[in-house]
Amino acid sequence: AQTVTQSQPEMSVQEAETVTLSCTYDTSESNYYLFWYKQPPSRQMILVIRQEAYKQQNATENRFSVNFQKAAKSFSLKISDSQLGDTAMYFCAFMIDDKVIFGPGTSLSVIP
Amino acid sequence: DTEVTQTPKHLVMGMTNKKSLKCEQHMGHRAMYWYKQKAKKPPELMFVYSYEKLSINESVPSRFSPECPNSSLLNLHLHALQPEDSALYLCASSQLPRRTYEQYFGPGTRLTVT
């Protein structure tokens, strides 16, 4: 069975600091895609960053970067220079066939 | 246009009512999805449409009935719902129903069943 685990239900970070959200997953597939989605309070879910499993290079999108360790099945998200607008639920997910399998989420609060 | 729209934003309905949720995208995406999301939980997949055909039904009760009239539009018909069906209903679309493509989500319809 495919599963995604996020071990930190809630986290907080001071504005302008760096925070890392952890994610582990389990799959027997060798080629898959991993995603981090962000869902701000009462706002729609948006894609933060995407990683192809066959690429060794870690994906980066501005202040967001991932640490992808395929052998360990780990896919953490680092947010640099945290901003108040980063306050949101963050879901780690991976896609197999037609389905997205989401982790339980991490609620991140950025403190002024 | 990278937007998925959903109407209505909020819906309150009684257990004997019939109502419909609507989702629309004009990005040319050929896969569309319905999710149910409870507070502080991840979205739970309900249905997937690929090329306007139902490809996945995650054992959803028959009181939820999806419909995909064309490639841009997705409906969810509701009938005889229960209070536990109260949730945020999210629609999403992706370019194709394959693992390489991220999903674009709509803002959701907040449903309350009384």
Side-chain angles (χ1 to χ4, degrees):
Chain A
Q2 334 281 351
T3 59
V4 179
T5 302
Q6 293 177 251
S7 59
Q8 305 147 315
E10 294 183 0
M11 294 189 73
S12 62
V13 62
Q14 290 290 134
E15 197 175 3
E17 297 294 306
T18 295
V19 64
T20 299
L21 280 57
S22 64
C23 171
T24 57
Y25 59 93
D26 188 23
T27 181
S28 55
E29 298 281 322
S30 59
N31 187 21
Y32 46 88
Y33 290 77
L34 295 158
F35 306 90
W36 278 98
Y37 283 93
K38 167 186 176 182
Q39 190 175 34
S42 301
R43 294 180 61 188
Q44 65 198 83
M45 189 160 339
I46 58 171
L47 179 71
V48 175
I49 199 165
R50 181 178 82 168
Q51 173 80 41
E52 290 94 335
Y54 64 87
K55 286 188 177 178
Q56 291 189 340
Q57 186 173 6
N58 288 326
T60 299
E61 286 288 341
N62 301 313
R63 298 183 294 108
F64 299 88
S65 61
V66 298
N67 183 2
F68 174 50
Q69 303 287 330
K70 190 172 183 179
K73 296 182 180 174
S74 169
F75 182 59
S76 61
L77 175 70
K78 186 171 86 170
I79 306 174
S80 304
D81 185 26
S82 297
Q83 300 176 359
L84 296 179
D86 295 333
T87 291
M89 281 290 286
Y90 287 81
F91 294 101
C92 176
F94 87 97
M95 192 152 188
I96 182 157
D97 298 327
D98 289 2
K99 300 182 186 183
V100 175
I101 299 170
F102 288 94
T106 295
S107 178
L108 177 68
S109 297
V110 179
I111 302 166
Chain B
D1 183 4
T2 58
E3 194 178 10
V4 176
T5 59
Q6 289 187 245
T7 54
K9 284 189 169 53
H10 301 275
L11 178 62
V12 179
M13 60 185 289
M15 290 189 286
T16 58
N17 292 158
K18 284 186 182 181
K19 297 285 184 183
S20 296
L21 309 184
K22 179 179 171 181
C23 172
E24 205 160 2
Q25 57 87 14
H26 296 287
M27 295 178 278
H29 289 178
R30 303 308 300 274
M32 296 186 77
Y33 309 79
W34 278 117
Y35 290 89
K36 173 183 177 181
Q37 187 180 26
K38 292 281 198 178
K40 295 199 176 291
K41 296 290 187 183
E44 299 171 32
L45 183 66
M46 300 175 71
F47 303 104
V48 180
Y49 273 85
S50 300
Y51 300 96
E52 295 89 68
K53 292 187 178 168
L54 183 65
S55 62
I56 293 177
N57 177 341
E58 292 286 275
S59 303
V60 179
S62 59
R63 57 185 184 268
F64 295 91
S65 175
E67 179 196 19
C68 190
N70 58 58
S71 60
S72 300
L73 190 55
L74 185 66
N75 297 321
L76 185 63
H77 303 297
L78 314 173
H79 172 56
L81 295 191
Q82 304 297 310
E84 60 265 28
D85 296 322
S86 298
L88 182 69
Y89 287 84
L90 296 171
C91 174
S93 69
S94 65
Q95 189 172 344
L96 289 172
R98 295 199 194 118
R99 63 186 70 183
T100 58
Y101 298 106
E102 65 263 32
Q103 296 187 3
Y104 292 78
F105 285 83
T109 293
R110 177 80 55 192
L111 174 67
T112 303
V113 181
T114 60

